[in-house]
Amino acid sequence: MDRDLKKDFKEIVKVASPKERIWMFGFLEAIVEEGYTEPPNNTDSGKDVPAKKESEAAIEAKKAITQKQTQSSNNGASQAASSASKTDSSYISMATLVAPDQNKSNVAVLQKTGSESIKTATIVFGTETGNSKKLASVLQNRLKAIGVKAKVSSTNQYNPKDLDKEELLLTIISTHGDGDPPEAARKFHESLKNRKESLPKLKYSVLALGDTSYPLFCKAGEDVDVFLDRLQATRILNIAMCDVDYEATADEWMDAICNLLSSGIAISNNQGSQENQESSSHSISRNNGNGAHLADDKGDAKLQNGTSKSTARKFHLGTITKSIDLTDAAASKIIRHIEIETEEEIDYLPGDSAGFIPKNDPKEVSAILRGLRLNSEDSITWRKETLSIQTLLEEKASIRYLSKRVMDSLEAITRKKLPNARLDLIDIVQNYPPHDSISKESILEILEPITPRYYSISSSPEAQGKNSIHLTVAEVDFKTAQGKTQKGFCSDYLFELMEGSSVNFRIQKNDNFRIPAPDANAIYIGPGTGIAPFRSFLFERDSLGHTGKNWLFFGNRNFSYDFLYQTELLEFFDSGVLTKFNTAFSRDNSKKVYVQDRIRENGKELVEWLDAGAILYICGSKEPMSYDVDKTLIEIFMKEKNLKKSEAEQFLSNLIDTERYKKDVY
């Protein structure tokens, strides 16, 4: 007896997970392409009518469906009924995922029918370096071009209460540090995490930006995706996860969004469920070749595939040509000026950073090898790469300040209770040695990669040339959980490199932190090594002949020991490049004075500059420095503009949202 394949298929879809729907959809496409039609209803015709010969794809599909039905029947009728209640029988939800090695997009799309098409969308972006904002602008223009009314909002400005009124929410968000959202997206992230009221009418999709050098790749975007799913919002397109060469993947995601909305395929509500949570694993995460590039800086065109202009993954080989102390021998810590030259030109701008992957101390590596009784020349396969254990521990694996994820795994492997602290691998090997029966290679296999450490570039391509970058690096000393003093991993690595040494680095773009327009005035707040990008700004503006005024607030501990770039800055002041220059040396007097105190003293004039259109910049320590400066600015706005505290806070927030207050804090 012939089977009604279409009916069977729809029944199976009701109880299948999104992962299982991938192969289902593949079979369905094959059947349609090869001309399969449903067998006629012989009982209605009163006579036997031979059915059309089935294709091989149809036969295979029937076998797979029959097997799936057998498996599903074992789950019980109640589960099937429950699953069916979550799926509208008026449509079939299908997900497609093309393997990255094929010459096709690997966009994972949910196509649904059975309701009115979407007319409005809100694009919310959370960014640290400006990439998410740029993409939000591109997407907005592309949606407008297909007749969708789209508005853009930063996560800092977006009111979470508006979620109840949204038709479609498209979130573009980056991830920083150990899986953290950008500073400006923290409140948005928390509001979604803590929200209790469901959002059954909301439809959404997420574009996540990150760096696969870090273990929690695109974690902030994944969080938003999970939070919205938990709130029963409908995911119309699976999360797209971008590496640092983000353009190609972002372009695919935008193509899928626009195609979905412009094709007339409507998007029905599908209550958030475990199915949706599972479907989030089918993600756009491909970066083919060298990626792609933005067609222009205005955001009025789509992302164009083609030859990449991206340098995000490109490592430069440089030579240390100068490494000198900027601080006096009596200073409380060393701050060093380092110059690196390359044979090829470096594509960077003032405001960008240089990233380095430091190497582990060979002595520490030798101690680990002895403790684990491993041969340094033995090979090991680690993250799909085969290399010697010596190379792994010296150049690839992170063995310092192990993450909680690694600590938990080590505790499970060694079967020993480890302290609730981030230890170094050498501490575990020496103080909590694994039993001889435990594979020592298994310990190495769970180690995470060394992640790049970034430093603000303190040189100007116009003034110092495009074959050189300068860094301003501070010595770092800290106490570990075991009470031992330890030096900063990357700063110590750079300090140990002698003049003439080779070093690899890559450039991290920061379009959110650029020099102002030629005639614009700027105020810079840069204590300590926070002076680095502003040294770059001043050299660049001077070389380009900018007419805008510059005002610098600089601070450190002692005038005599820690006045970084003193000669250069005073020359800038004497020549008029620096219009105003205020310093704060906290240890020169019995009462400590910081940059925020100098800002407060000059509050009236600072407000006048801002009211006249000046742009405010800050670079340096996030906590407490940047927080203290923000508090001081709010106090100044309250006093000089006669505002209530809430109004002053809003004024500060507006400066950030209109790109009049730019931050590079860490």
Side-chain angles (χ1 to χ4, degrees), residues 391-409:
T391 301
L392 170 64
L393 291 177
E394 279 195 8
E395 302 178 12
K396 300 287 186 176
S398 176
I399 61 176
R400 300 267 296 271
Y401 202 52
L402 301 175
S403 69
K404 186 178 185 302
R405 296 176 298 279
V406 174
M407 291 294 296
D408 289 344
S409 297

Side-chain angles (χ1 to χ4, degrees), residues 529-542:
T529 56
I531 187 64
F534 304 135
R535 178 180 185 263
S536 173
F537 278 31
L538 292 171
F539 269 117
E540 187 85 354
R541 297 198 83 190
D542 184 33

